[in-house]
Amino acid sequence: MNRKLFSLFFLVFSFNSLIINAQTLWLDETQVSRFESGWGQTKANLSVDGNNLKVGGRLYKRGVGTHATGKVLFKVFGNAVSFNALVGVDDEAGDTASVEFFVLGDTKVLWKSGVLKKGDSARRVNVSLKGIERVGLLVTDAGDGIDYDHADWLEARIEYTGKTPEMARIKAPKPYILTPPAPDRPRINYPRVTGASPGKPFLFRIPVTGKQPLTFSVTNLPQGLTLDNQTGIITGVIEKPGNFTVLVKVTNAVGKDSAAFRINTGPLLALSPPMGWNSWNCWGLSVDQDKVKAAANAMISKGLVNHGWTYINIDDGWEAPARNASGEIMANGKFPDMKDLANFIHQNGLKIGIYSSPGEKTCGGFLGSFGHESQDARTWSDWGIDYLKYDWCSYSDKVKGRSLLELKNPYYIMRDALLKTNRAFVFSLCQYGMGNVWEWGASVGGNCWRTTGDISDNWKSMAGIGFSQLAAAPFTSPGHWNDPDMLVVGKVGWGPGLHQTQLTPDEQYTHISLWSLLSAPLLIGCDMSQLDDFTLNLLTNDEVIAVNQDPRAAPAKRASYDNENEVYVKDMEDGTKVVGFFFTRPDASGPAAEFQWVDEVKPQKITVSWAQLGLEGEYKARDLWRQKDLGVVYEKFVAEVPWHGCMLIRLSPLKK
Ligand code: GLA
């Protein structure tokens, strides 16, 4: 008994003495620039806007000013005693600001503030960190978007003993290149099929890699078309409907290649998913003519055009505030000459896209096409436009509800207007998937339709969208594509400031593989003039692009699934199957998902059986990212896959 009492006394005594010896790590004395912040940069002893810290009318001398979604993870090695702070919305924030603060320890929520709004007095946090290895500090947008969410951790500190807490590196894993460069000899790439509208201008640049100069020749070119034998650009007008198979031959100093190429002239365009660039994910509303030209130039100079990349699409932000006296829509001062821009793009064998909304205003608050649909379609046709993204947005003001008729109507109107012009337009519907648009997008003339809200450059958004497309998948067919939104690789930022995508290299391989299996439009969303080697390599693997561009347009199916991984399979036109293995296991769920709680997740072996793939017999396996044969396989395939990464395999039946 006495002994027990003594031990208890000793324990209490030693614990207290530990606390007495505890040291303090003030948050504002750490490297706050490394805190993640949803907007701006986290600052020490200042708000995110650089003002004195002020919450609920009270000034605070020290603390950290950040912005939702804001986060930082500390390794505390089981030595920490407590975390103390006051938290709240900074008074500089807009009136609608609302945030929620969380303190997490080893994936568990230890404390949360509840929703705090502008004007609320600061709330006190005092959490024990006993036994905790890692502490996550998180400010969320409280579910209503991050606008104006200026958030302060005031007088914030970690009490600890022993080893000083360290900020866990929000690791930026090194990019690694998988795909070998294209060979010097000519290689005809994809797409190898295109649609043409009878009686309307036709333009197609045959995508070929190989040492320059290349010389092109074709046999069986439809009447009305001519080929530039130096560039491989085919132009002209085909008057009559019909399907043509053209034999393309390309030679250079080191070799030659030939391939059949189909031109189907009729009602359908975009016979394979559109590939190109769109200004939105990098430049947002700050897009201008020079930036668009720079994208077109990079498409050529970096050789993307040789891999099928074609469209240069201007998103929102090009429109003048008012129409001219005859009611025509005009470009604003950032686009001095649209016709000239379109010519420039066409001369390079590329195509140009534009953006509008069926409402009075676009999503960015610029002028929409409501009431001027035919006039706008004619204007774009006069300029030489090839592609229209038509974004619902303020059209909500024009309808009472969301009946199918109401959802379809604005798209019918614009389809008819486009068809009456002198040009062939790829028609891209953007209404975020309302009313299961994939079920009826084709019936209103859509060539592609967004199936979701806007993507952003993180795993939660990209994987959340990418792995939830299976219901829509069966509705793809040549000329009709589900659009899970644009690519978030390279330097993105929604303008004018840019940052490197927050997706890890493995996540980016997943992004491109998944979009390829899903036959999704591939629209690069980054600043093309800053394409790094990794991103360029990621976007120019012709065997992966071939999966995306396959003319059969077979829907991707899920062959197997559990909490940790998914296997997708797609049937190709030539009878092969492409199988994607994805190690998707989320690290944690809820607020804990915002952090990486371990330094390294070991790769996982994912097995798929022939029964799951609907196969029998022996197959040759090829790793598409590495462009490497893996030998003959039967009964099953086992892929070793990095966390959040993937392996993409093509299985070809062994010829007997
Ligand atoms: C919406 C669309 C985006 C982009 C913007 C432009 O958010 O979904 O892709 O076009 O509008 O304002």
Side-chain angles (χ1 to χ4, degrees):
M1 180 74 180
N2 267 349
R3 240 179 102 150
K4 269 192 185 161
L5 252 180
F6 175 76
S7 329
L8 192 69
F9 171 77
F10 181 75
L11 261 179
V12 169
F13 175 77
S14 49
F15 185 64
N16 274 341
S17 71
L18 280 180
I19 294 178
I20 290 161
N21 291 333
Q23 312 201 48
T24 305
L25 178 75
W26 290 90
L27 223 53
D28 53 78
E29 287 176 349
T30 66
Q31 260 184 293
V32 293
S33 60
R34 283 177 51 204
F35 286 34
E36 275 187 56
S37 160
W39 181 87
Q41 258 215 350
T42 306
K43 296 192 172 63
N45 305 324
L46 293 174
S47 71
V48 70
D49 255 355
N51 299 312
N52 288 328
L53 296 165
K54 196 174 176 195
V55 172
R58 250 193 80 181
L59 282 165
Y60 293 84
K61 280 221 175 68
R62 68 188 310 179
V64 161
T66 187
H67 195 286
T69 306
K71 51 184 157 173
V72 63
L73 187 67
F74 284 96
K75 294 184 187 175
V76 293
F77 314 107
N79 287 329
V81 179
S82 63
F83 174 75
N84 288 287
L86 288 152
V87 296
V89 174
D90 196 282
D91 285 4
E92 76 187 4
D95 287 342
T96 54
S98 63
V99 299
E100 188 166 15
F101 290 80
F102 295 84
V103 179
L104 295 108
D106 300 336
T107 78
K108 293 202 176 61
V109 174
L110 304 178
W111 180 87
K112 60 180 176 182
S113 64
V115 178
L116 292 177
K117 294 190 186 303
K118 184 184 166 175
D120 290 347
S121 50
R123 194 152 298 175
R124 184 165 296 281
V125 194
N126 182 349
V127 212
S128 160
L129 296 180
K130 226 179 130 203
I132 299 288
E133 288 291 324
R134 287 177 190 226
V135 182
L137 303 178
L138 172 70
V139 193
T140 71
D141 63 3
D144 64 353
I146 67 162
D147 281 5
Y148 305 116
D149 286 348
H150 299 216
D152 299 337
W153 297 94
L154 305 160
E155 297 167 6
R157 60 208 184 269
I158 297 172
E159 306 287 343
Y160 67 98
T161 58
K163 197 168 172 189
T164 316
E166 285 170 14
M167 210 180 283
R169 246 190 195 293
I170 300 174
K171 266 210 251 166
K174 273 219 165 79
Y176 60 99
I177 285 179
L178 290 180
T179 305
D184 278 348
R185 61 174 171 75
R187 190 176 67 197
I188 302 174
N189 295 315
Y190 301 89
R192 291 187 183 173
V193 58
T194 193
S197 295
K200 297 190 175 184
F202 176 88
L203 171 73
F204 186 84
R205 182 168 175 153
I206 305 164
V208 180
T209 45
K211 212 170 154 72
Q212 296 288 336
L214 299 165
T215 309
F216 293 78
S217 66
V218 285
T219 44
N220 207 23
L221 200 61
Q223 213 186 349
L225 298 188
T226 50
L227 165 81
D228 178 326
N229 67 2
Q230 313 270 295
T231 59
I233 299 175
I234 303 173
T235 50
V237 176
I238 311 171
E239 290 301 339
K240 293 215 180 79
N243 294 344
F244 305 91
T245 302
V246 178
L247 186 68
V248 178
K249 285 191 185 153
V250 190
T251 56
N252 68 3
V254 283
K256 58 183 180 196
D257 192 18
S258 60
F261 171 67
R262 279 175 275 166
I263 304 177
N264 292 357
T265 313
L268 281 183
L269 292 172
L271 295 184
S272 64
M275 290 175 69
W277 172 86
N278 174 294
S279 57
W280 185 250
N281 289 355
C282 47
W283 301 123
L285 296 173
S286 72
V287 62
D288 62 32
Q289 178 171 292
D290 288 346
K291 289 175 173 138
V292 174
K293 274 196 172 166
N297 281 331
M299 209 63 124
I300 307 293
S301 66
K302 310 248 163 137
L304 283 149
V305 71
N306 306 326
H307 303 270
W309 298 93
T310 300
Y311 287 95
I312 299 291
N313 292 351
I314 307 167
D315 207 280
D316 204 357
W318 62 269
E319 312 87 336
R323 292 173 178 273
N324 68 12
S326 9
E328 282 163 3
I329 197 158
M330 296 181 304
N332 58 37
K334 295 188 293 163
F335 289 88
D337 193 338
M338 279 291 196
K339 224 175 194 165
D340 187 57
L341 181 60
N343 277 338
F344 167 79
I345 285 173
H346 291 153
Q347 274 155 17
N348 285 297
L350 300 171
K351 298 185 183 183
I352 177 167
I354 211 152
Y355 166 99
S356 192
S357 168
E360 308 260 4
K361 293 271 187 246
T362 65
C363 298
F366 285 72
L367 207 58
S369 293
F370 182 75
H372 292 269
E373 293 83 355
S374 299
Q375 207 175 12
D376 289 356
R378 277 196 305 275
T379 302
W380 299 324
S381 166
D382 288 348
W383 288 347
I385 303 291
D386 306 289
Y387 185 116
L388 172 68
K389 172 174 172 183
Y390 207 40
D391 193 353
W392 176 275
C393 250
S394 75
Y395 192 78
S396 290
D397 302 344
K398 303 286 172 200
V399 286
K400 289 204 184 75
R402 292 284 190 279
S403 70
L404 214 46
L405 203 65
E406 284 169 312
L407 290 174
K408 286 179 171 182
N409 196 42
Y411 292 101
Y412 276 132
I413 297 173
M414 187 49 84
R415 173 200 64 182
D416 292 348
L418 293 173
L419 285 175
K420 283 194 196 111
T421 69
N422 298 325
R423 291 191 69 81
F425 284 83
V426 166
F427 190 26
S428 157
L429 318 187
C430 179
Q431 46 85 290
Y432 340 111
M434 287 187 292
N436 291 355
V437 63
W438 46 91
E439 290 170 7
W440 51 265
S443 74
V444 297
N447 294 112
C448 43
W449 39 81
R450 278 273 297 279
T451 52
T452 72
D454 291 11
I455 197 167
S456 51
D457 57 317
N458 58 66
W459 171 255
K460 215 163 132 189
S461 168
M462 184 279 290
I465 289 176
F467 289 108
S468 61
Q469 298 297 306
L470 289 168
F475 295 90
T476 49
S477 65
H480 307 123
W481 311 104
N482 294 310
D483 176 2
D485 208 2
M486 300 174 284
L487 303 177
V488 276
V489 300
K491 279 224 151 59
V492 293
W494 293 267
L498 300 178
H499 60 260
Q500 194 63 34
T501 178
Q502 297 173 67
L503 294 178
T504 65
D506 285 325
E507 292 169 352
Q508 295 180 63
Y509 280 117
T510 292
H511 188 15
I512 304 299
S513 303
L514 195 51
W515 264 237
S516 295
L517 285 163
L518 293 170
S519 310
L522 296 179
L523 291 168
I524 302 169
C526 65
D527 177 3
M528 300 277 286
S529 62
Q530 294 191 61
L531 268 183
D532 54 284
D533 291 347
F534 169 77
T535 312
L536 185 61
N537 189 264
L538 189 71
L539 297 171
T540 52
N541 180 319
D542 298 297
E543 297 190 26
V544 175
I545 291 173
V547 179
N548 175 265
Q549 294 290 301
D550 192 61
R552 181 166 167 187
K557 292 185 185 143
R558 190 155 72 184
S560 79
Y561 166 72
D562 67 26
N563 277 340
E564 307 239 310
N565 59 58
E566 310 223 8
V567 179
Y568 275 47
V569 56
K570 177 174 174 177
D571 290 319
M572 302 288 283
E573 191 180 47
D574 65 358
T576 62
K577 276 184 198 277
V578 174
V579 187
F581 298 81
F582 301 96
F583 179 15
T584 52
R585 188 190 82 199
D587 208 23
S589 59
E594 298 289 346
F595 299 98
Q596 193 175 319
W597 295 95
V598 285
D599 283 335
E600 205 197 335
V601 181
K602 294 234 152 55
Q604 193 178 63
K605 285 206 164 93
I606 306 176
T607 304
V608 74
S609 69
W610 273 199
Q612 287 168 311
L613 293 174
L615 296 181
E616 266 177 17
E618 295 180 309
Y619 286 78
K620 277 190 295 183
R622 184 166 168 85
D623 178 332
L624 295 187
W625 278 111
R626 293 175 179 81
Q627 301 189 344
K628 225 169 111 186
D629 287 331
L630 301 175
V632 174
V633 287
Y634 57 96
E635 283 178 8
K636 65 178 183 206
F637 190 92
V638 186
E640 188 166 302
V641 185
W643 183 54
H644 283 183
C646 69
M647 194 162 179
L648 203 58
I649 302 294
R650 190 157 175 157
L651 295 172
S652 320
L654 263 197
K655 291 199 182 77
K656 296 243 165 73

